[in-house]
Amino acid sequence: CCRYRSRITAVATGGVMELMGVKAAASFLGTAEGTLRYWRSVGVGPVSFKLGARVVYRRSELERWVAEQETATSRGGLAVG
């Protein structure tokens, strides 16, 4: 049943909020599931939380974290000449 679902949807007050399990979040970020688990264990990476026994990520937090990484590590982009 539930262990095969990579995404779950929860209803929030303001509408629908998409929650992703580790597998879906890793796929979204293009990284390994083990990397997300390691980041969580050392307190870095995107915000996650437990929903029951399951670790989940809000899609909006993954998108925010990616944008933050882009801003922090962007190089170039200036016109030459």
Side-chain angles (χ1 to χ4, degrees):
C1 158
C2 300
R3 71 180 189 198
Y4 297 108
R5 278 192 283 179
S6 60
R7 289 194 288 174
I8 59 176
T9 303
V11 177
T13 306
V16 175
M17 155 180 60
E18 188 174 9
L19 301 177
M20 297 178 159
V22 174
K23 183 176 184 176
S27 177
F28 178 84
L29 295 173
T31 191
E33 292 177 47
T35 300
L36 280 181
R37 287 189 190 98
Y38 173 74
W39 287 346
R40 182 173 165 79
S41 74
V42 296
V44 300
V47 174
S48 61
F49 61 97
K50 290 191 92 171
L51 189 60
R54 188 171 179 192
V55 174
V56 294
Y57 296 82
R58 285 191 174 119
R59 182 182 181 97
S60 61
E61 278 299 316
L62 294 176
E63 291 168 345
R64 183 200 59 77
W65 185 79
V66 167
E68 184 180 275
Q69 298 309 300
E70 180 181 14
T71 300
T73 62
S74 291
R75 302 290 181 265
L78 299 176
V80 177

